[in-house]
Amino acid sequence: MVAGDTNGNIFLYINVGTDSKPKFNKPTLITKWKPTRAKPEAVDWNNDGKIDILFGDEKGNILLMLNKGSKTKPDFTKPAPLKTTNDKDLNAGMRVDITVYDWDNDKKKDLICGDEFANVTFYKNIGTDKEPKFDKAIPMTAKGWPISPKSPSSERINIDGVNGAIYAGRSGDFTLYQSGQKPAKIMLGDKPYTHGKTSCFFSFSDINSDGTSDLLSCDENGNLQLLINESKTGLKFTKSVTVKDGVKNFNIGYKAKPTIIDYNNDGKPDIMCQGNSGEKIRVYLNKGTKTNPVFNGYSEPEFDGYSPINGGYRCRVDIADYNSDGKSDLLYGVTSYNGGANIYVFLAE
């Protein structure tokens, strides 16, 4: 077994048991490649009968260590970056994870790569199986849809005659996917809409009570923008509005996702949000009207009279009548550092 860690160490574990009951000896350090997240793949790269090692690093480079030793006593060369046909370093995306596989069945090893942002790409081998060569990345899709959407935020929608899913990209752009149709950018007038140059989190709701679903987006830095939908049979946006908190521009926290709700059951749309890194949950009450929302300051929901609810790491919230008692309860999901994902319910009293 070959394994890499977050410090750039690549270790070899020799199986001293059997194939059906493996037992591994103490690891042997093969190499250390800077402070990086090394993700290795063991493969006979040059078809000489010996196992070589490919690995991806933090920045997305793919590096090769050829085995210049023997089958039983591997001795690897220093890591060298794979090159494209125009002699540039092959970069497959941040924290790339590599699988070597003959994807197109031409009897040559190709590369399938996944990166930190959920891009899945195919690198076709245009050389030989013994001497692989690669040109450019081909995004992998299923019937036009991303294999794994490159988006920190997505919403399934069935509103105003539009049935599909919207993904917010990491460049502040929004893409609509509908079955049987080509992906389409969300437009602001005649140009694709972008909110800043960072990943966005968003929600749809009829925020001005005109019978259409509006888009409320929050960029990575916590700034809110509102697009008013002008069509009841689609998504038509011609202008964006910077949402104000009193006289200031709205800022709801780092990587926060806004949720439109009627928090206090007064018939007016309010905003609930929480940040990405454990910020407390906030509620901005609408102090204006249904058709002209006005916000000025926030409160922090409490439970059982104790401290405000801390959403936790990468918390996402929603409101629902969870126990069907006619009151709005709070649900939130939170990622834990050990890989777990818990959903909590706070019942309204």
Short mmCIF file of all heavy atoms in Angstrom, two decimals, residues 243-305:
data_model
loop_
_atom_site.label_atom_id
_atom_site.label_comp_id
_atom_site.label_asym_id
_atom_site.label_seq_id
_atom_site.Cartn_x
_atom_site.Cartn_y
_atom_site.Cartn_z
N VAL A 243 -28.60 44.88 -1.40
CA VAL A 243 -29.50 44.90 -0.24
C VAL A 243 -28.83 45.66 0.89
O VAL A 243 -27.66 45.47 1.20
CB VAL A 243 -29.84 43.46 0.19
CG1 VAL A 243 -30.86 43.47 1.32
CG2 VAL A 243 -30.37 42.67 -1.00
N LYS A 244 -29.60 46.55 1.52
CA LYS A 244 -29.07 47.40 2.58
C LYS A 244 -29.50 46.89 3.96
O LYS A 244 -30.60 46.38 4.15
CB LYS A 244 -29.59 48.83 2.41
CG LYS A 244 -29.13 49.53 1.13
CD LYS A 244 -27.69 49.98 1.23
CE LYS A 244 -27.30 50.83 0.03
NZ LYS A 244 -25.91 51.33 0.12
N ASP A 245 -28.59 47.03 4.93
CA ASP A 245 -28.90 46.82 6.34
C ASP A 245 -28.87 48.20 6.98
O ASP A 245 -27.81 48.69 7.37
CB ASP A 245 -27.87 45.88 6.97
CG ASP A 245 -28.10 45.69 8.47
OD1 ASP A 245 -29.23 45.97 8.92
OD2 ASP A 245 -27.16 45.28 9.16
N GLY A 246 -30.04 48.82 7.04
CA GLY A 246 -30.08 50.23 7.44
C GLY A 246 -29.48 51.06 6.31
O GLY A 246 -29.92 50.97 5.17
N VAL A 247 -28.47 51.85 6.62
CA VAL A 247 -27.82 52.67 5.59
C VAL A 247 -26.57 52.00 5.04
O VAL A 247 -25.94 52.49 4.11
CB VAL A 247 -27.46 54.06 6.16
CG1 VAL A 247 -28.71 54.82 6.56
CG2 VAL A 247 -26.50 53.94 7.34
N LYS A 248 -26.21 50.86 5.61
CA LYS A 248 -24.99 50.16 5.20
C LYS A 248 -25.33 49.06 4.21
O LYS A 248 -26.45 48.54 4.19
CB LYS A 248 -24.28 49.55 6.42
CG LYS A 248 -23.87 50.53 7.49
CD LYS A 248 -23.20 49.81 8.65
CE LYS A 248 -24.16 48.86 9.34
NZ LYS A 248 -23.54 48.20 10.50
N ASN A 249 -24.34 48.67 3.39
CA ASN A 249 -24.50 47.49 2.57
C ASN A 249 -24.61 46.26 3.47
O ASN A 249 -23.91 46.16 4.48
CB ASN A 249 -23.32 47.32 1.61
CG ASN A 249 -23.33 48.36 0.51
OD1 ASN A 249 -24.28 49.12 0.37
ND2 ASN A 249 -22.28 48.38 -0.28
N PHE A 250 -25.47 45.36 3.11
CA PHE A 250 -25.65 44.14 3.87
C PHE A 250 -24.36 43.32 3.89
O PHE A 250 -23.72 43.14 2.86
CB PHE A 250 -26.75 43.29 3.22
CG PHE A 250 -27.83 42.85 4.16
CD1 PHE A 250 -29.10 43.35 4.06
CD2 PHE A 250 -27.55 41.92 5.15
CE1 PHE A 250 -30.11 42.94 4.91
CE2 PHE A 250 -28.54 41.51 6.01
CZ PHE A 250 -29.83 42.02 5.90
N ASN A 251 -23.98 42.82 5.05
CA ASN A 251 -22.89 41.86 5.13
C ASN A 251 -23.25 40.82 6.17
O ASN A 251 -23.40 41.13 7.35
CB ASN A 251 -21.57 42.53 5.49
CG ASN A 251 -20.39 41.58 5.32
OD1 ASN A 251 -20.25 40.62 6.07
ND2 ASN A 251 -19.56 41.82 4.32
N ILE A 252 -23.44 39.58 5.72
CA ILE A 252 -23.95 38.54 6.62
C ILE A 252 -22.89 37.52 7.03
O ILE A 252 -23.22 36.52 7.67
CB ILE A 252 -25.15 37.82 5.99
CG1 ILE A 252 -24.76 37.12 4.68
CG2 ILE A 252 -26.30 38.79 5.75
CD1 ILE A 252 -25.88 36.30 4.08
N GLY A 253 -21.62 37.76 6.67
CA GLY A 253 -20.57 36.88 7.15
C GLY A 253 -19.94 36.04 6.06
O GLY A 253 -20.50 35.82 5.00
N TYR A 254 -18.76 35.56 6.35
CA TYR A 254 -17.94 34.81 5.39
C TYR A 254 -18.66 33.55 4.93
O TYR A 254 -19.08 32.72 5.71
CB TYR A 254 -16.61 34.46 6.06
CG TYR A 254 -15.66 33.65 5.21
CD1 TYR A 254 -15.12 34.18 4.04
CD2 TYR A 254 -15.32 32.35 5.57
CE1 TYR A 254 -14.24 33.45 3.27
CE2 TYR A 254 -14.44 31.61 4.81
CZ TYR A 254 -13.90 32.16 3.65
OH TYR A 254 -13.04 31.42 2.89
N LYS A 255 -18.82 33.42 3.59
CA LYS A 255 -19.44 32.26 2.96
C LYS A 255 -20.80 31.92 3.57
O LYS A 255 -21.14 30.76 3.77
CB LYS A 255 -18.52 31.04 3.03
CG LYS A 255 -17.29 31.14 2.15
CD LYS A 255 -16.51 29.84 2.13
CE LYS A 255 -15.34 29.93 1.16
NZ LYS A 255 -14.55 28.68 1.11
N ALA A 256 -21.57 32.93 3.88
CA ALA A 256 -22.88 32.72 4.48
C ALA A 256 -23.93 32.45 3.41
O ALA A 256 -23.86 32.99 2.31
CB ALA A 256 -23.29 33.93 5.31
N LYS A 257 -24.88 31.61 3.74
CA LYS A 257 -25.99 31.32 2.83
C LYS A 257 -27.25 31.99 3.35
O LYS A 257 -27.69 31.73 4.47
CB LYS A 257 -26.23 29.81 2.72
CG LYS A 257 -27.42 29.45 1.84
CD LYS A 257 -27.60 27.95 1.76
CE LYS A 257 -28.91 27.58 1.06
NZ LYS A 257 -28.98 28.07 -0.31
N PRO A 258 -27.88 32.86 2.55
CA PRO A 258 -29.11 33.52 2.99
C PRO A 258 -30.32 32.62 2.77
O PRO A 258 -30.43 31.93 1.76
CB PRO A 258 -29.18 34.76 2.10
CG PRO A 258 -28.50 34.33 0.83
CD PRO A 258 -27.44 33.34 1.23
N THR A 259 -31.22 32.62 3.72
CA THR A 259 -32.48 31.89 3.60
C THR A 259 -33.62 32.86 3.82
O THR A 259 -33.65 33.59 4.81
CB THR A 259 -32.56 30.76 4.65
OG1 THR A 259 -31.46 29.87 4.44
CG2 THR A 259 -33.86 29.98 4.52
N ILE A 260 -34.57 32.90 2.87
CA ILE A 260 -35.71 33.79 2.98
C ILE A 260 -36.84 33.06 3.70
O ILE A 260 -37.28 32.00 3.27
CB ILE A 260 -36.20 34.25 1.59
CG1 ILE A 260 -35.03 34.84 0.79
CG2 ILE A 260 -37.33 35.26 1.72
CD1 ILE A 260 -34.40 36.05 1.40
N ILE A 261 -37.30 33.63 4.81
CA ILE A 261 -38.38 33.02 5.58
C ILE A 261 -39.26 34.11 6.17
O ILE A 261 -38.86 35.27 6.25
CB ILE A 261 -37.83 32.16 6.75
CG1 ILE A 261 -36.99 33.05 7.69
CG2 ILE A 261 -37.02 30.99 6.28
CD1 ILE A 261 -36.65 32.40 9.00
N ASP A 262 -40.45 33.73 6.57
CA ASP A 262 -41.28 34.62 7.40
C ASP A 262 -41.05 34.18 8.84
O ASP A 262 -41.78 33.37 9.39
CB ASP A 262 -42.75 34.51 7.00
CG ASP A 262 -43.63 35.46 7.82
OD1 ASP A 262 -43.09 36.23 8.63
OD2 ASP A 262 -44.86 35.39 7.66
N TYR A 263 -40.01 34.72 9.44
CA TYR A 263 -39.54 34.20 10.73
C TYR A 263 -40.54 34.43 11.85
O TYR A 263 -40.74 33.57 12.72
CB TYR A 263 -38.20 34.87 11.08
CG TYR A 263 -37.59 34.38 12.36
CD1 TYR A 263 -36.91 33.17 12.40
CD2 TYR A 263 -37.68 35.13 13.53
CE1 TYR A 263 -36.35 32.71 13.58
CE2 TYR A 263 -37.12 34.68 14.71
CZ TYR A 263 -36.45 33.47 14.72
OH TYR A 263 -35.89 33.02 15.89
N ASN A 264 -41.19 35.59 11.86
CA ASN A 264 -42.08 35.93 12.97
C ASN A 264 -43.57 35.89 12.57
O ASN A 264 -44.42 36.44 13.26
CB ASN A 264 -41.74 37.31 13.55
CG ASN A 264 -41.74 38.38 12.47
OD1 ASN A 264 -41.92 38.10 11.29
ND2 ASN A 264 -41.52 39.62 12.88
N ASN A 265 -43.84 35.21 11.42
CA ASN A 265 -45.23 34.99 10.99
C ASN A 265 -46.05 36.28 10.90
O ASN A 265 -47.22 36.32 11.27
CB ASN A 265 -45.93 34.01 11.94
CG ASN A 265 -45.34 32.61 11.86
OD1 ASN A 265 -45.03 32.14 10.78
ND2 ASN A 265 -45.17 31.98 13.01
N ASP A 266 -45.41 37.35 10.38
CA ASP A 266 -46.15 38.60 10.21
C ASP A 266 -46.50 38.83 8.74
O ASP A 266 -46.94 39.93 8.36
CB ASP A 266 -45.38 39.79 10.76
CG ASP A 266 -44.06 40.03 10.02
OD1 ASP A 266 -43.71 39.21 9.13
OD2 ASP A 266 -43.38 41.03 10.33
N GLY A 267 -46.27 37.81 7.90
CA GLY A 267 -46.62 37.91 6.49
C GLY A 267 -45.59 38.61 5.64
O GLY A 267 -45.83 38.85 4.45
N LYS A 268 -44.41 38.95 6.22
CA LYS A 268 -43.38 39.65 5.48
C LYS A 268 -42.11 38.80 5.40
O LYS A 268 -41.79 38.08 6.36
CB LYS A 268 -43.07 41.00 6.15
CG LYS A 268 -44.27 41.95 6.20
CD LYS A 268 -43.90 43.30 6.80
CE LYS A 268 -43.48 43.19 8.26
NZ LYS A 268 -43.26 44.52 8.87
N PRO A 269 -41.36 38.86 4.30
CA PRO A 269 -40.16 38.05 4.16
C PRO A 269 -39.01 38.57 5.01
O PRO A 269 -38.66 39.76 4.95
CB PRO A 269 -39.82 38.16 2.67
CG PRO A 269 -40.43 39.46 2.23
CD PRO A 269 -41.65 39.64 3.07
N ASP A 270 -38.43 37.71 5.82
CA ASP A 270 -37.25 38.02 6.63
C ASP A 270 -36.06 37.24 6.07
O ASP A 270 -36.20 36.41 5.17
CB ASP A 270 -37.49 37.64 8.09
CG ASP A 270 -38.77 38.24 8.64
OD1 ASP A 270 -38.93 39.47 8.54
OD2 ASP A 270 -39.62 37.48 9.15
N ILE A 271 -34.87 37.50 6.59
CA ILE A 271 -33.65 36.82 6.15
C ILE A 271 -32.99 36.14 7.34
O ILE A 271 -32.75 36.76 8.37
CB ILE A 271 -32.65 37.81 5.50
CG1 ILE A 271 -33.25 38.41 4.22
CG2 ILE A 271 -31.33 37.12 5.18
CD1 ILE A 271 -32.37 39.47 3.57
N MET A 272 -32.69 34.85 7.15
CA MET A 272 -31.90 34.12 8.15
C MET A 272 -30.61 33.68 7.47
O MET A 272 -30.59 33.32 6.29
CB MET A 272 -32.66 32.90 8.66
CG MET A 272 -31.82 32.01 9.57
SD MET A 272 -32.77 30.62 10.27
CE MET A 272 -33.58 31.48 11.61
N CYS A 273 -29.52 33.72 8.20
CA CYS A 273 -28.24 33.35 7.61
C CYS A 273 -27.27 32.88 8.68
O CYS A 273 -27.48 33.06 9.88
CB CYS A 273 -27.64 34.53 6.86
SG CYS A 273 -27.31 35.94 7.91
N GLN A 274 -26.21 32.27 8.22
CA GLN A 274 -25.12 31.87 9.10
C GLN A 274 -23.85 31.77 8.26
O GLN A 274 -23.91 31.50 7.07
CB GLN A 274 -25.40 30.53 9.79
CG GLN A 274 -25.28 29.31 8.93
CD GLN A 274 -26.23 29.31 7.76
OE1 GLN A 274 -27.39 29.64 7.91
NE2 GLN A 274 -25.76 28.96 6.58
N GLY A 275 -22.71 32.02 8.89
CA GLY A 275 -21.44 31.97 8.20
C GLY A 275 -20.90 30.56 8.07
O GLY A 275 -21.48 29.60 8.55
N ASN A 276 -19.72 30.46 7.43
CA ASN A 276 -19.14 29.18 7.11
C ASN A 276 -18.30 28.60 8.25
O ASN A 276 -18.05 27.40 8.28
CB ASN A 276 -18.24 29.33 5.87
CG ASN A 276 -17.67 28.03 5.39
OD1 ASN A 276 -18.40 27.15 4.97
ND2 ASN A 276 -16.35 27.88 5.47
N SER A 277 -17.85 29.42 9.17
CA SER A 277 -16.84 28.97 10.13
C SER A 277 -17.33 29.03 11.57
O SER A 277 -16.56 29.31 12.49
CB SER A 277 -15.57 29.81 9.97
OG SER A 277 -15.10 29.75 8.65
N GLY A 278 -18.60 28.77 11.78
CA GLY A 278 -19.10 28.68 13.14
C GLY A 278 -19.71 29.95 13.68
O GLY A 278 -19.90 30.08 14.88
N GLU A 279 -20.02 30.93 12.79
CA GLU A 279 -20.65 32.14 13.28
C GLU A 279 -22.05 31.82 13.82
O GLU A 279 -22.68 30.85 13.44
CB GLU A 279 -20.77 33.18 12.15
CG GLU A 279 -19.44 33.79 11.72
CD GLU A 279 -18.76 32.99 10.62
OE1 GLU A 279 -19.18 31.85 10.39
OE2 GLU A 279 -17.82 33.52 10.02
N LYS A 280 -22.53 32.67 14.70
CA LYS A 280 -23.87 32.49 15.24
C LYS A 280 -24.92 32.74 14.16
O LYS A 280 -24.71 33.52 13.24
CB LYS A 280 -24.09 33.42 16.44
CG LYS A 280 -23.18 33.11 17.63
CD LYS A 280 -23.43 34.08 18.76
CE LYS A 280 -22.59 33.72 19.99
NZ LYS A 280 -21.16 33.84 19.73
N ILE A 281 -26.05 32.06 14.29
CA ILE A 281 -27.14 32.24 13.36
C ILE A 281 -27.77 33.61 13.59
O ILE A 281 -27.99 34.03 14.72
CB ILE A 281 -28.17 31.12 13.52
CG1 ILE A 281 -27.54 29.78 13.12
CG2 ILE A 281 -29.42 31.38 12.70
CD1 ILE A 281 -28.38 28.58 13.42
N ARG A 282 -28.07 34.31 12.49
CA ARG A 282 -28.65 35.65 12.56
C ARG A 282 -30.02 35.68 11.88
O ARG A 282 -30.24 34.98 10.89
CB ARG A 282 -27.75 36.67 11.86
CG ARG A 282 -26.37 36.85 12.48
CD ARG A 282 -25.57 37.84 11.64
NE ARG A 282 -24.23 38.06 12.18
CZ ARG A 282 -23.33 38.86 11.62
NH1 ARG A 282 -23.64 39.53 10.52
NH2 ARG A 282 -22.13 39.01 12.16
N VAL A 283 -30.89 36.51 12.41
CA VAL A 283 -32.18 36.76 11.78
C VAL A 283 -32.33 38.27 11.58
O VAL A 283 -32.21 39.05 12.53
CB VAL A 283 -33.35 36.24 12.64
CG1 VAL A 283 -34.68 36.64 12.01
CG2 VAL A 283 -33.28 34.74 12.79
N TYR A 284 -32.56 38.66 10.32
CA TYR A 284 -32.82 40.05 9.97
C TYR A 284 -34.31 40.19 9.71
O TYR A 284 -34.83 39.67 8.72
CB TYR A 284 -32.03 40.46 8.73
CG TYR A 284 -30.53 40.48 8.92
CD1 TYR A 284 -29.78 39.30 8.84
CD2 TYR A 284 -29.86 41.67 9.16
CE1 TYR A 284 -28.41 39.31 9.01
CE2 TYR A 284 -28.48 41.69 9.32
CZ TYR A 284 -27.76 40.51 9.25
OH TYR A 284 -26.39 40.53 9.41
N LEU A 285 -35.01 40.86 10.61
CA LEU A 285 -36.46 41.03 10.46
C LEU A 285 -36.77 42.15 9.47
O LEU A 285 -36.09 43.18 9.44
CB LEU A 285 -37.10 41.36 11.81
CG LEU A 285 -37.10 40.23 12.86
CD1 LEU A 285 -37.74 40.73 14.15
CD2 LEU A 285 -37.83 38.99 12.33
N ASN A 286 -37.78 41.90 8.66
CA ASN A 286 -38.25 42.89 7.69
C ASN A 286 -39.08 43.94 8.40
O ASN A 286 -40.18 43.66 8.88
CB ASN A 286 -39.06 42.17 6.61
CG ASN A 286 -39.60 43.13 5.56
OD1 ASN A 286 -39.33 44.33 5.59
ND2 ASN A 286 -40.37 42.58 4.63
N LYS A 287 -38.55 45.16 8.48
CA LYS A 287 -39.25 46.26 9.15
C LYS A 287 -39.97 47.17 8.16
O LYS A 287 -40.49 48.22 8.54
CB LYS A 287 -38.25 47.04 10.00
CG LYS A 287 -37.62 46.16 11.08
CD LYS A 287 -36.52 46.86 11.83
CE LYS A 287 -35.88 45.90 12.85
NZ LYS A 287 -34.76 46.52 13.59
N GLY A 288 -40.01 46.71 6.90
CA GLY A 288 -40.75 47.44 5.89
C GLY A 288 -42.07 46.76 5.62
O GLY A 288 -42.82 46.44 6.54
N THR A 289 -42.36 46.51 4.34
CA THR A 289 -43.62 45.88 3.95
C THR A 289 -43.34 44.64 3.11
O THR A 289 -42.18 44.34 2.79
CB THR A 289 -44.48 46.86 3.13
OG1 THR A 289 -43.80 47.16 1.88
CG2 THR A 289 -44.71 48.16 3.89
N LYS A 290 -44.42 43.96 2.72
CA LYS A 290 -44.27 42.78 1.87
C LYS A 290 -43.65 43.14 0.53
O LYS A 290 -42.81 42.41 0.00
CB LYS A 290 -45.63 42.11 1.63
CG LYS A 290 -46.19 41.37 2.84
CD LYS A 290 -47.56 40.81 2.54
CE LYS A 290 -47.49 39.74 1.45
NZ LYS A 290 -48.80 39.10 1.25
N THR A 291 -44.04 44.26 -0.03
CA THR A 291 -43.59 44.63 -1.36
C THR A 291 -42.33 45.50 -1.35
O THR A 291 -41.67 45.66 -2.37
CB THR A 291 -44.71 45.38 -2.12
OG1 THR A 291 -45.11 46.52 -1.34
CG2 THR A 291 -45.91 44.47 -2.33
N ASN A 292 -42.00 46.05 -0.20
CA ASN A 292 -40.81 46.90 -0.09
C ASN A 292 -40.08 46.56 1.22
O ASN A 292 -40.18 47.28 2.21
CB ASN A 292 -41.20 48.38 -0.11
CG ASN A 292 -39.97 49.30 -0.09
OD1 ASN A 292 -38.89 48.91 -0.55
ND2 ASN A 292 -40.14 50.48 0.44
N PRO A 293 -39.32 45.45 1.23
CA PRO A 293 -38.64 45.02 2.46
C PRO A 293 -37.58 46.03 2.91
O PRO A 293 -36.87 46.61 2.09
CB PRO A 293 -37.99 43.69 2.05
CG PRO A 293 -38.71 43.26 0.82
CD PRO A 293 -39.11 44.50 0.12
N VAL A 294 -37.49 46.23 4.21
CA VAL A 294 -36.48 47.10 4.82
C VAL A 294 -35.86 46.34 5.98
O VAL A 294 -36.57 45.79 6.83
CB VAL A 294 -37.09 48.43 5.31
CG1 VAL A 294 -36.04 49.24 6.06
CG2 VAL A 294 -37.66 49.22 4.15
N PHE A 295 -34.52 46.34 6.05
CA PHE A 295 -33.83 45.63 7.11
C PHE A 295 -32.92 46.59 7.86
O PHE A 295 -32.32 47.49 7.26
CB PHE A 295 -33.00 44.47 6.54
CG PHE A 295 -33.81 43.50 5.74
CD1 PHE A 295 -33.89 43.60 4.36
CD2 PHE A 295 -34.53 42.49 6.36
CE1 PHE A 295 -34.64 42.71 3.61
CE2 PHE A 295 -35.30 41.60 5.64
CZ PHE A 295 -35.35 41.71 4.26
N ASN A 296 -32.83 46.39 9.17
CA ASN A 296 -31.98 47.27 9.98
C ASN A 296 -31.58 46.52 11.25
O ASN A 296 -32.29 46.53 12.25
CB ASN A 296 -32.71 48.56 10.32
CG ASN A 296 -31.78 49.61 10.92
OD1 ASN A 296 -30.60 49.34 11.17
ND2 ASN A 296 -32.30 50.79 11.17
N GLY A 297 -30.45 45.83 11.18
CA GLY A 297 -29.95 45.08 12.33
C GLY A 297 -30.51 43.68 12.41
O GLY A 297 -31.43 43.31 11.69
N TYR A 298 -29.93 42.88 13.31
CA TYR A 298 -30.30 41.47 13.40
C TYR A 298 -30.40 41.04 14.86
O TYR A 298 -29.93 41.71 15.78
CB TYR A 298 -29.29 40.59 12.67
CG TYR A 298 -27.89 40.64 13.25
CD1 TYR A 298 -27.50 39.79 14.28
CD2 TYR A 298 -26.94 41.55 12.76
CE1 TYR A 298 -26.21 39.83 14.81
CE2 TYR A 298 -25.66 41.61 13.28
CZ TYR A 298 -25.30 40.74 14.30
OH TYR A 298 -24.04 40.79 14.83
N SER A 299 -31.03 39.88 15.05
CA SER A 299 -31.06 39.23 16.36
C SER A 299 -30.47 37.84 16.20
O SER A 299 -30.34 37.33 15.08
CB SER A 299 -32.49 39.14 16.90
OG SER A 299 -33.31 38.39 16.02
N GLU A 300 -30.12 37.22 17.33
CA GLU A 300 -29.54 35.87 17.31
C GLU A 300 -30.48 34.93 18.07
O GLU A 300 -30.66 35.09 19.28
CB GLU A 300 -28.15 35.87 17.95
CG GLU A 300 -27.15 36.73 17.17
CD GLU A 300 -25.82 36.89 17.89
OE1 GLU A 300 -25.77 36.63 19.12
OE2 GLU A 300 -24.83 37.25 17.23
N PRO A 301 -31.12 33.97 17.38
CA PRO A 301 -32.04 33.06 18.07
C PRO A 301 -31.37 32.34 19.22
O PRO A 301 -30.19 31.96 19.14
CB PRO A 301 -32.43 32.08 16.96
CG PRO A 301 -32.16 32.79 15.69
CD PRO A 301 -30.99 33.68 15.96
N GLU A 302 -32.12 32.18 20.30
CA GLU A 302 -31.62 31.46 21.48
C GLU A 302 -32.43 30.18 21.67
O GLU A 302 -33.53 30.03 21.13
CB GLU A 302 -31.73 32.33 22.73
CG GLU A 302 -30.89 33.60 22.66
CD GLU A 302 -30.99 34.43 23.92
OE1 GLU A 302 -31.81 34.08 24.79
OE2 GLU A 302 -30.22 35.40 24.05
N PHE A 303 -31.86 29.24 22.43
CA PHE A 303 -32.60 28.02 22.74
C PHE A 303 -32.64 27.83 24.25
O PHE A 303 -31.64 27.98 24.94
CB PHE A 303 -32.01 26.80 22.03
CG PHE A 303 -30.60 26.47 22.39
CD1 PHE A 303 -30.32 25.50 23.33
CD2 PHE A 303 -29.53 27.12 21.77
CE1 PHE A 303 -29.02 25.18 23.66
CE2 PHE A 303 -28.22 26.80 22.10
CZ PHE A 303 -27.97 25.84 23.06
N ASP A 304 -33.84 27.53 24.76
CA ASP A 304 -34.05 27.28 26.18
C ASP A 304 -33.53 28.42 27.06
O ASP A 304 -33.10 28.20 28.19
CB ASP A 304 -33.39 25.96 26.61
CG ASP A 304 -34.15 24.76 26.07
OD1 ASP A 304 -35.32 24.92 25.70
OD2 ASP A 304 -33.57 23.67 26.02
N GLY A 305 -33.53 29.65 26.51
CA GLY A 305 -33.11 30.80 27.30
C GLY A 305 -31.61 30.91 27.47
O GLY A 305 -31.13 31.76 28.21
#
